Amino acid sequence: MTPLSINAERLLGRLRDLGQIGRDDDGRLVRLAASDADRAGRDALVAWIRAAGLEVVVDRIGNIFGIWSNDANAEQAPALLGSHIDTVIDAGIYDGCYGVLSGLEVIETLKAAGYAPTRPIAVAAFTNEEGVRYAPDMMGSLVHAGGLSVDEALATIGTDGTVLGAELERIGYAGTEEPGFLRPYAYVELHIEQASVLEREGVSVGAVENLQGISWQRITIEGEANHAGTTPMAMRRDAGHAAACVVTFLRDRALNANSPTVATVGCMSFEPNAINVIPSRAIFTVDLRDPDGERLRTEEAALADYLKELAASEEVTIAVDRLARFEPVTFDRNIVALIEGAARERGLAVKRMTSGAGHDAQMIARIAPAAMIFVPSIGGISHNPREHTPDADLVAGANILLDVVARLAAR
């Protein structure tokens, strides 16, 4: 018997169409959360959801849900699929969008085939997963899972001085439902890998069994501005040099560790930011990640100890603000096994793996069994217009999602 398959042309066409929404004057895809471009993307998604005959519900944090239910199963907890459609600056077209549009495609395929689920099936597009304009990232799913109050989230001030709640109102996506109104029976998120493990090993499908912990901090170093030509090196309180020491410390420690720990300084600014003035202030971010919670705490403690030593040796003042902190997540072993089985039944090589990136699935895992499906990313490139996954892999991943959801919704 030939297995049921999604409509590849429809899925790939929508991916391309959504990928053209939010292009700036330079042709870059920039669909930041609650922006005008985000509104345009949301409008397109909602139109597709309605055309599929699903109920559209928007909650107060702007999460969009397309729900397929009937009188017989409406009281059951739904099988939930989803991801996000907001992007970084100069993004590719697959990150997040592939999971949302595949979830919708799965529901449409099941409906067209006359499938009768014993529980509702819903697709979600969570608000502000990327965290570029408003922090923290994965905000919509975090609020949905009860990890952040909706009022606190709506009061968040963005990098451009806007307030998230006011922006959601402005673009017409400040819903009325309380976040968390839909508590899923299970959650499955399909995503491009955003790394090169699957491509390198020639594997078609990743059954994601865990997701590493993430620690985001903002560090401010205060020194003293002075003349770059007349101040001897030994007499400087150079905030820029101190910041460089932290970058080197983090890189050396991660490289020399016998662990998968990674450390990144992604943002940095100096004041007064003049070529001939010793920096009086350096502000930068630190992103620490590790799949083991104890190791992550060890790295955070090591950084804290180093900052104390650095403050004394460089005669600077150092302040640390925690921006976000998420523990590692272990996904539901039964759903991971379902993903493995579905891949093998379709003759596809499958590998259990860890996600190095954060995803909405890690938040929803707080309230329901959850797991993720990965498909290969060419060259491991993501958050970049060169982000690419071959059409055949995109279709294969959506078909695995189809098989897994059909089983979950029949329980």
Side-chain angles (χ1 to χ4, degrees):
M1 180 178 176
T2 302
L4 190 63
S5 294
I6 59 98
N7 183 324
E9 183 179 355
R10 182 169 57 194
L11 172 62
L12 298 174
R14 285 175 177 169
L15 272 169
R16 290 189 291 268
D17 290 346
L18 185 56
Q20 292 307 309
I21 297 174
R23 298 280 172 179
D24 66 11
D25 293 340
D26 296 320
R28 304 180 307 168
L29 178 57
V30 185
R31 208 163 51 234
L32 304 186
S35 65
D36 289 340
D38 187 27
R39 171 172 52 194
R42 286 166 174 264
D43 288 348
L45 174 62
V46 167
W48 289 326
I49 292 173
R50 289 198 169 117
L54 310 186
E55 178 189 6
V56 176
V57 180
V58 181
D59 68 14
R60 290 180 59 209
I61 196 62
N63 296 326
I64 299 170
F65 298 88
I67 304 171
W68 179 32
S69 64
N70 55 48
D71 292 341
N73 67 21
E75 298 304 315
Q76 299 293 320
L80 181 62
L81 324 174
S83 195
H84 63 98
I85 66 167
D86 67 308
T87 75
V88 298
I89 297 169
D90 202 13
I93 70 170
Y94 302 107
D95 178 5
C97 303
Y98 172 52
V100 174
L101 295 178
S102 293
L104 176 58
E105 179 58 40
V106 162
I107 295 174
E108 288 184 275
T109 299
L110 291 172
K111 284 188 70 179
Y115 178 77
T118 59
R119 62 180 63 255
I121 306 176
V123 59
F126 292 107
T127 295
N128 190 42
E129 192 273 351
E130 294 293 2
V132 175
R133 192 181 185 198
Y134 302 98
D137 57 348
M138 298 168 285
M139 182 185 283
S141 53
L142 178 62
V143 172
H144 185 84
L148 177 68
S149 79
V150 63
D151 290 334
E152 183 178 352
L154 292 173
T156 303
I157 298 174
T159 56
D160 54 0
T162 59
V163 178
L164 176 58
E167 286 293 273
L168 287 172
E169 288 275 3
R170 184 183 66 82
I171 68 169
Y173 281 92
T176 56
E177 290 288 342
E178 288 298 322
F181 76 95
L182 184 151
R183 192 175 185 92
Y185 166 75
Y187 176 78
V188 186
E189 183 169 350
L190 174 61
H191 210 283
I192 60 170
E193 183 192 355
Q194 300 179 283
S196 58
V197 173
L198 293 175
E199 182 193 24
R200 187 175 65 246
E201 298 187 11
V203 176
S204 301
V205 178
V208 184
E209 59 183 351
N210 60 0
L211 190 150
Q212 63 186 357
I214 302 173
S215 171
W216 280 7
Q217 301 174 59
R218 180 174 55 235
I219 298 174
T220 302
I221 300 179
E222 301 278 359
E224 182 177 67
N226 215 330
H227 196 293
T230 62
T231 310
M233 298 300 290
M235 297 178 63
R236 299 182 177 207
R237 296 175 57 228
D238 188 339
H241 174 256
C245 289
V246 178
V247 175
T248 302
F249 167 80
L250 290 169
R251 180 173 175 81
D252 289 347
R253 184 173 174 87
L255 283 173
N256 294 324
N258 186 26
S259 72
T261 305
V262 291
T264 305
V265 173
C267 302
M268 181 176 287
S269 64
F270 290 162
E271 295 178 12
N273 199 35
I275 192 170
N276 59 349
V277 180
I278 299 165
S280 61
R281 176 181 293 163
I283 303 173
F284 57 98
T285 58
V286 173
D287 178 321
L288 293 172
R289 304 191 188 205
D290 196 288
D292 181 84
E294 187 57 41
R295 279 201 306 264
L296 183 60
R297 286 186 285 275
T298 297
E299 295 308 309
E300 290 175 310
L303 174 59
D305 289 343
Y306 179 74
L307 293 176
K308 291 178 183 177
E309 296 171 6
L310 185 68
S313 64
E314 295 296 315
E315 298 183 11
V316 294
T317 300
I318 301 179
V320 179
D321 296 315
R322 184 177 294 284
L323 301 178
R325 177 63 162 79
F326 302 121
E327 283 290 323
V329 173
T330 299
F331 288 128
D332 182 81
R333 63 181 183 179
N334 294 319
I335 303 178
V336 174
L338 272 180
I339 294 166
E340 284 183 312
R344 289 175 179 142
E345 286 175 11
R346 287 187 179 261
L348 299 172
V350 60
K351 173 187 177 65
R352 290 198 176 206
M353 60 193 309
T354 297
S355 172
H359 296 285
D360 291 311
Q362 77 188 81
M363 302 307 171
I364 304 304
R366 298 180 178 200
I367 59 172
M372 296 188 70
I373 304 166
F374 276 174
V375 294
S377 293
I378 299 303
I381 297 171
S382 187
H383 286 183
N384 183 303
R386 293 191 295 122
E387 175 181 275
H388 182 66
T389 295
D391 289 353
D393 289 328
L394 294 170
V395 173
N399 280 327
I400 299 303
L401 181 65
L402 173 68
D403 296 345
V404 171
V405 172
R407 289 173 171 85
L408 288 173
R411 291 180 172 177

